[in-house]
Amino acid sequence: MKIRRIRNSIAATVAITLSAAVAPSLNAAGDNPNSGATTVWMMDGPQVIGGGQLAVVDPGWEISRRFTGDFNGDGRTDILWLMSDGTMTIWLMDGMQVIGGGLVATPDRTWWLEATGDYNGDGRTDLLYRNSHGTVSICFMNGIAVTGEAEVATVDLSWGLVASDDFNGDGRADLVWRSASGSVVMWMMNGAQVQSGGSVATLDTMYWSVVGTADYNGDGRHDILWQNLVTGSTTMWLMDGNHIVGGGPIATPYNSWVAGTGDYDRDGRGDILWQGPGGLMTISFMNGTQILSSAAVATVDDPDWHVVGSGDYNGDGRADILWRNYCVSNC
C-alpha cells in the first residue's frame, strides 16, 4: 500500500474557527447557526456535567461514529476527521482541549478507510484500509504518525466489514464481515495476522445494521448491538470470540434509534444512548440484554444537531457525547 506523505500543517488545510468553550444551546433552531459547529458533552450517567463548543470546522470535513479511538494511548478518545478524497486529520484530545494532532499520512486515493481499532494490542488505535480490489491493509499508529503498515488479506467485495472491536478479550481488535447473502464471519486478529475465527451466524434480512459494539455484560469481551432499519427492533449478541454465548431482543423505547453506545456510568458495562421522538435523548443502563434503568438526558429538537461520536474524551472512565451541527434550516 503506497502511503501519501502529507507535511502541510493542520492550520493551512482545515478551516477551523476556535470558539469560546461555552456550551451552545442545542434545543432551539437558530441558536447556533454555524454549520460545522462541534460540541462535546461530558457525562456522568445521564447528567451533562461539563463540556461545550470545541470548534467550527469546514463542513467538508466529516466525523463518523465508525472511526474513533485513542490514537496516542493516553486513555482519552481522540477525534478523526475525514474528507471525501481520503485526506485525514486527527485531533488528540484532553477533555475540551485539542492538545495535539494534525494531518495523517494516508494511502493513495484507490484506498478508503474501512475501520479503526487496536489491532496489535499496543494501546493505540490503528487504521484499517481497503481498496477497490478488496485488499485489506493496516496502518499502525502512534498519535498521527504511521509507524508501520502490513497487508492482511484480499476479501471479495461482496463481503462488507460491519464491526471492529475486541470480541475475544485478548486486547486486540477483531473484524466482523457480512456477505451479501447475510452470512456473518469473524476474524481474530494479531496485528495484521488472522490468527483464528470462523462463522458466527446468518442474518435473515439485510435490514439489520450494527449500531454499536461494547462490553454490555462486563465480561471483558465486546458484544454486538444490531438494529433493524425498517422496524427499529434492536437485538444484542453477547460474544466469546466468534461464538454467540447469549443475547436477544432489547426493549426499544418507542420510535427510538440508537445514537451511541458506551459506559456512561463507569460500571464496566456498555450502555445505549437513544434518540427518540422530538429529539428526546435517553440512556439505557445495561447488564447484558437487561435494562437496569433508563434516564432522560435532554431534548435536542433542533434537527441540525447530530450525535457523531461517543467516547471518553476526558479520561474519567465515562463515555461522553460528541455533537456536530449540519445546518440545513435557519442558517
Side-chain angles (χ1 to χ4, degrees), residues 1 8 17 19 26 34 48-49 56 70 94 136 144 154 169 173 183 195 202 213 254 311:
M1 180 171 63
N8 310 67
T17 304
S19 305
L26 303 188
N34 298 308
V48 181
I49 60 172
V56 177
D70 177 8
D94 182 2
V136 178
I144 63 171
T154 297
S183 297
Q195 62 178 10
T202 299
T213 59
Y254 172 73

Side-chain angles (χ1 to χ4, degrees), residues 15 40 42 50 53 60 69 85 114 142 144-145 152 172 174 179 210 224 243 256 259 266 278 281 288 322:
V40 64
M42 304 301 175
Q53 185 166 300
D85 66 356
E114 189 85 324
N142 183 4
I144 63 171
V152 178
R172 295 183 288 259
D174 309 305
S179 73
V210 174
I224 304 175
H243 302 291
S256 294
R266 200 169 59 181
M281 309 299 298
L322 186 67

